[in-house]
Amino acid sequence: MTDQQILWAAMEQSARELGCKAEDFLHSRPVVVPYETGRQARKYYKEPISCILASYGNNIVASVKEEYREIVSEFIHKFEFYHCFEMPNLHWLEERLSPLGQRTCFMSEYYLPELDRLKPLSCKYQVRLLEAADFAPLYTPEWSNALCRERRELDVLGIGAYDGGRLVGLAGCSADCETMWQIGVDVLPEYRRNGIASALTSRLAAEILERGKIPFYCSAWSNLRSVRNAFKSGFLPAWVEMTVKPAAAVADLNR
């Protein structure tokens, strides 16, 4: 695979999820399509969803339910696409969706590997490749980014760092869709800033590519520690997403 093939595969996957065409992400103008997430969507998409906005750096593609289409369409045509994912412009959207019982919700930045920069990095601890059968005792809070208790059947591969016999860092990947596996990583607090996260992330990404899948990485913009790990591990920003959900669903998340 080349970098361009990886990027195109990600666009194709996003197109399956938003109900658009992959080339829609390459236009210079906004694109609006009816919301209809297909069965090939990444497994962590959870209904109810009223709208998804996605950008690969050229425009916005909005997949939106019909009753909110006019508002969302006006929003993404009114502001520059990159300002639609930040304040104060998001207040414009919130003010119009709130009377309809809708709120903006998840906002995430996604990363893809840059193959020339993706090199397995080292750290001073022993690293070990782990399979799904090794994960059973690891569904605990300290490894909640690397593994997902609610979707444990999707956790397929991992790499652990060990200080003696103690697991001190873990990167895991979930088979969130047919072509792309998502990497998450955790390091125990007292072992951070030792290059463990980047060593595990870069090595796991290489293992994923060897299996014919595309590794991807997700982070909140404000999680600078995670963002730095992505860059150090050989990943670059590829696309951003924001979802709109019913206000009741957002309130449940905040409890």
Side-chain angles (χ1 to χ4, degrees):
M1 282 187 285
T2 66
D3 289 337
Q4 284 302 312
Q5 288 171 328
I6 288 174
L7 180 61
W8 183 253
M11 289 182 181
E12 288 183 320
Q13 179 60 36
S14 292
R16 297 184 193 104
E17 292 156 356
L18 273 66
C20 65
K21 299 176 182 178
E23 52 265 32
D24 288 337
F25 297 107
L26 300 175
H27 296 319
S28 59
R29 65 185 186 280
V31 176
V32 182
V33 296
Y35 172 74
E36 187 178 348
T37 296
R39 288 179 295 178
Q40 294 179 298
R42 280 167 282 166
K43 305 299 183 184
Y44 55 83
Y45 277 138
K46 186 177 181 181
E47 295 288 353
I49 297 173
S50 305
C51 173
I52 302 175
L53 303 183
S55 176
Y56 277 81
N58 303 294
N59 68 343
I60 286 180
V61 175
S63 179
V64 56
K65 290 185 175 178
E66 183 58 35
E67 54 264 45
Y68 315 113
R69 181 185 180 99
E70 184 175 347
I71 293 172
V72 172
S73 181
E74 183 179 356
F75 173 63
I76 64 176
H77 283 84
K78 182 178 179 66
F79 301 108
E80 286 286 349
F81 70 91
Y82 46 86
H83 289 313
C84 290
F85 295 90
E86 64 179 12
M87 302 301 182
N89 294 344
L90 274 175
H91 288 306
W92 188 99
L93 183 62
E94 279 274 327
E95 288 168 359
R96 287 154 179 79
L97 288 177
S98 184
L100 302 178
Q102 304 298 311
R103 301 294 301 272
T104 54
C105 192
F106 297 115
M107 300 174 67
S108 300
E109 186 167 28
Y110 289 88
Y111 302 78
L112 291 172
E114 187 179 42
L115 296 179
D116 286 345
R117 295 177 58 247
L118 182 63
K119 310 294 182 185
L121 302 175
S122 61
C123 66
K124 64 181 180 180
Y125 299 99
Q126 178 191 12
V127 296
R128 186 186 310 164
L129 186 66
L130 304 174
E131 304 286 349
D134 300 311
F135 297 150
L138 302 179
Y139 288 98
T140 55
E142 59 264 44
W143 311 122
S144 60
N145 289 311
L147 302 174
C148 181
R149 178 189 294 271
E150 291 75 22
R151 297 185 299 275
R152 62 178 66 196
E153 71 280 0
L154 301 178
D155 293 331
V156 291
L157 194 65
I159 295 184
Y162 292 84
D163 184 3
R166 184 189 185 194
L167 181 65
V168 299
L170 176 65
C173 63
S174 55
D176 288 330
C177 60
E178 177 60 30
T179 59
M180 302 174 68
W181 291 0
Q182 181 174 196
I183 294 176
V185 62
D186 290 291
V187 177
L188 297 182
E190 61 269 33
Y191 285 86
R192 290 172 185 165
R193 297 186 179 275
N194 285 297
I196 296 174
S198 57
L200 298 179
T201 302
S202 60
R203 287 168 180 256
L204 184 55
E207 292 284 348
I208 293 170
L209 285 167
E210 284 187 10
R211 287 160 174 77
K213 304 296 183 180
I214 296 171
F216 72 103
Y217 187 99
C218 178
S219 174
W221 289 287
S222 56
N223 190 347
L224 298 183
R225 186 167 58 204
S226 182
V227 171
R228 285 194 295 266
N229 179 56
F231 277 88
K232 187 175 179 180
S233 302
F235 286 76
L236 287 177
W239 80 99
V240 294
E241 289 184 14
M242 182 182 73
T243 59
V244 173
K245 286 178 171 284
V250 176
D252 285 341
L253 291 168
N254 284 329
R255 287 194 176 95

